[in-house]
Amino acid sequence: MRSGARIAWARSREVGSRVALWSWAIFVAWSGVACGGSRDALPDEPPLADLALAESALGVPTPEAAAMCAALVPEGAATLLRAALEGNVDLAVARERLAAAETMIVQARAGRLPQVDAQVGVGRQRVPTFNPLTGRDATSQTQFQASVPVAWEIDLWGRVGAQVEAAERDVLAGWLDVEGARLSLAGQLVDLWWQRGAALERRRLLDEQEETARVLLDLVTHRLRMGSATLLDLTQQRQQLEAIEAQRVRVDLAVTLLEQRLALLQGRVPGSVALPPAGPWDIDALWQAEDLPALLLDARPDVRAARLRAEAADARVRVAMAARLPALRLSASVSLQAQSLGELVDFVFWSVASSLSGPLFDGGRRRAEVERQEALLREALLQWGGVFLAAVAEVEGALAEERDIERLLASVYLQRADAELALDLARAQWRAGLLDFLRVLSAQQALQALDQSLLDLLRDQRLQRLRVCRSLALLPLPSED
């Protein structure tokens, strides 16, 4: 016996009518054959029974991991973030899209309730009459009528309930899309915040290097006058100073462009936002494995949204299956009808009816719709898996790069200590007349290059940590009102 017939058996036994039982069973079996052709019996259970993941099973970050991510959003960045979450245009568009999707829940839930209409009409017609004196005649009549029809489809097979479930899952997924957009916006803003901080730090470093270069230029000029330096030494030091000044121009341009992008993220005109300094650059601790439970990935908005869309696709499969089964509809109507307004309330007419209808032959259209929805369900499940794997790759890649940066930092710190010592020795020997100025200039350039490399690595380390926090949805965000 088919699954639809078994459902009909249970419902009919509750009614207590054996005649209704066999009528429903025969009708369901007949309609299933007519609509489905040679298709096998419909599955008894939804194919997504083991899909739901309890919210309590989602991973919780350790206090250390949460504190590390919170440190990436200092007070100045948090102020800009609050302004961006309120004024960003793309985020406002996403919120309006979600508001439009929420109306689908109301529309789906309306299918559970009776539909009540009101109809009022007036008409005039000329009808034939019989006159005993003249024979056939015609007369004109005016007809007034008012009625309130009521129609209600009983949700026997859970079709309307599945539609409501699909709409609710879609809206929840849309809400998570907005949360993902907020997280992405926060990541972009904090990323730009620290890139600007790195540019400002580079500007400060160039200022120090420029000051050192000017002092050294004055020293070379003095020694040239004393006859202990050459014009080549002076020219090389002057070229070094000009190179630092050229780097300063490029850094100033980078700061300006980054500040413009920060203003645009807030929905503001560039130049209208005052930005505070970025803050310190030191990072004390690396991630520990126990700080990042694997189940944190399940809390990502995109992963949860993909799961909800798979659940919505499963509900639509059940909607398509229920559409192949008979539908029970109840209808009632109360109406008034008269040839004059004064007589309209004299007579009240009413009617009550029920109907059972189902498809006999539709060319396999409903069966094809079930197969289409099942294919969409499989697609949604694959997309869910793909989103999860992409999240794993993103987090693992960011963690690996941060650890590589930490090793590079240790090496650069050692190189910088050696370069600083080499510069001191070269200067001392140059002052003693044991070395030419070219060796001093080379040592100075090596130290300055290492200082800039160190700054780049510190920036990359912070940005990689930001990438991990964003990948695990650990960036602190202000709550939505």
Side-chain angles (χ1 to χ4, degrees):
M1 184 179 291
R2 295 181 179 272
S3 62
R6 290 198 298 269
I7 298 174
W9 184 291
R11 293 185 179 276
S12 301
R13 195 168 62 181
E14 293 177 1
V15 176
S17 171
R18 189 173 299 275
V19 174
L21 163 66
W22 288 106
S23 300
W24 279 73
I26 294 172
F27 194 87
V28 169
W30 185 16
S31 62
V33 171
C35 294
S38 60
R39 180 173 174 80
D40 296 334
L42 300 179
D44 294 329
E45 296 294 334
L48 210 59
D50 58 345
L51 180 62
L53 179 63
E55 295 294 333
S56 59
L58 296 179
V60 178
T62 63
E64 291 77 12
M68 288 179 185
C69 291
L72 293 174
V73 189
E75 183 57 34
T79 301
L80 296 182
L81 180 56
R82 285 190 290 269
L85 292 176
E86 294 176 0
N88 185 264
V89 176
D90 294 335
L91 191 57
V93 170
R95 290 192 182 102
E96 294 302 323
R97 189 180 299 117
L98 174 61
E102 288 174 347
T103 61
M104 300 303 296
I105 296 181
V106 179
Q107 297 181 31
R109 289 174 178 171
R112 291 173 169 173
L113 304 175
Q115 179 178 345
V116 182
D117 297 325
Q119 300 175 358
V120 178
V122 59
R124 186 171 177 81
Q125 61 180 348
R126 187 174 177 83
V127 297
T129 60
F130 178 76
N131 191 327
L133 298 178
T134 60
R136 297 185 60 185
D137 199 354
T139 183
S140 298
Q141 296 179 353
T142 301
Q143 192 77 21
F144 297 91
Q145 59 182 0
S147 62
V148 179
V150 180
W152 189 16
E153 179 180 349
I154 306 300
D155 192 18
L156 292 174
W157 317 110
R159 181 181 63 84
V160 177
Q163 288 177 337
V164 173
E165 180 181 345
E168 290 174 345
R169 295 296 187 273
D170 285 336
V171 169
L172 287 175
W175 180 82
L176 288 171
D177 288 340
V178 173
E179 284 297 299
R182 296 176 74 232
L183 186 64
S184 177
L185 175 62
Q188 293 179 50
L189 187 141
V190 178
D191 186 287
L192 291 175
W193 170 269
W194 289 116
Q195 286 191 50
R196 171 181 170 269
L200 293 176
E201 186 70 11
R202 186 180 295 275
R203 177 193 288 176
R204 185 194 62 78
L205 179 62
L206 289 173
D207 288 341
E208 293 179 356
Q209 293 178 357
E210 181 180 358
E211 182 180 356
T212 302
R214 290 188 184 278
V215 171
L216 194 55
L217 179 62
D218 293 340
L219 179 60
V220 172
T221 303
H222 176 71
R223 291 178 65 88
L224 177 64
R225 292 171 183 169
M226 299 295 295
S228 57
T230 66
L231 184 60
L232 177 61
D233 296 338
L234 179 65
T235 304
Q236 288 176 334
Q237 182 58 31
R238 187 179 297 155
Q239 187 273 334
Q240 176 70 14
L241 178 61
E242 291 170 352
I244 294 175
E245 292 174 346
Q247 291 184 52
R248 172 64 186 268
V249 173
R250 290 194 293 270
V251 170
D252 289 341
L253 176 60
V255 171
T256 301
L257 294 177
L258 289 169
E259 290 179 349
Q260 289 179 357
R261 292 175 64 186
L262 282 169
L264 291 174
L265 280 181
Q266 300 174 72
R268 305 283 294 277
V269 177
S272 63
V273 180
L275 300 176
W281 278 91
D282 56 316
I283 296 181
D284 297 330
L286 283 176
W287 299 101
Q288 301 298 324
E290 60 271 13
D291 293 337
L292 303 173
L295 285 176
L296 278 176
L297 293 173
D298 288 322
R300 281 177 49 128
D302 56 344
V303 175
R304 295 169 63 191
R307 185 196 74 193
L308 287 169
R309 288 193 170 92
E311 293 176 353
D314 175 67
R316 291 191 178 92
V317 171
R318 286 182 274 131
V319 171
M321 288 179 174
R324 300 178 61 196
L325 302 175
L328 175 62
R329 296 179 176 86
L330 306 179
S331 61
S333 176
V334 177
S335 61
L336 306 174
Q337 187 172 344
Q339 295 185 3
S340 66
L341 287 175
E343 300 175 350
L344 189 61
V345 296
D346 291 345
F347 299 97
V348 178
F349 304 92
W350 60 268
S351 64
V352 177
S354 63
S355 65
L356 181 66
S357 62
L360 294 179
F361 178 77
D362 62 359
R365 178 177 61 85
R366 288 175 175 83
R367 181 187 66 181
E369 177 63 17
V370 172
E371 294 174 349
R372 186 179 78 89
Q373 294 298 336
E374 289 176 342
L376 291 175
L377 171 59
R378 292 190 294 270
E379 177 187 352
L381 289 171
L382 291 172
Q383 288 178 346
W384 180 20
V387 169
F388 187 85
L389 290 177
V392 172
E394 185 178 357
V395 174
E396 291 294 335
L399 289 172
E401 289 184 22
E402 184 179 350
R403 290 187 171 89
D404 287 343
I405 290 173
E406 183 67 17
R407 288 192 289 269
L408 288 173
L409 276 172
S411 174
V412 171
Y413 276 123
L414 293 176
Q415 294 179 51
R416 190 188 183 284
D418 292 338
E420 192 172 12
L421 178 59
L423 179 59
D424 292 340
L425 293 174
R427 285 175 177 173
Q429 294 182 25
W430 174 65
R431 291 189 183 98
L434 301 177
L435 290 178
D436 60 2
F437 184 72
L438 181 60
R439 299 287 298 273
V440 177
L441 187 60
S442 297
Q444 184 184 35
Q445 290 175 344
L447 179 61
Q448 292 176 352
L450 285 171
D451 283 338
Q452 296 196 23
S453 297
L454 181 61
L455 179 59
D456 290 339
L457 286 173
L458 289 173
R459 178 202 61 197
D460 293 343
Q461 183 189 42
R462 183 155 297 228
L463 295 182
Q464 286 303 324
R465 175 152 300 177
L466 174 63
R467 181 181 167 193
V468 174
C469 291
R470 182 172 56 184
S471 300
L472 293 173
L474 292 179
L475 280 179
L477 297 176
S479 60
E480 289 270 27
D481 294 334

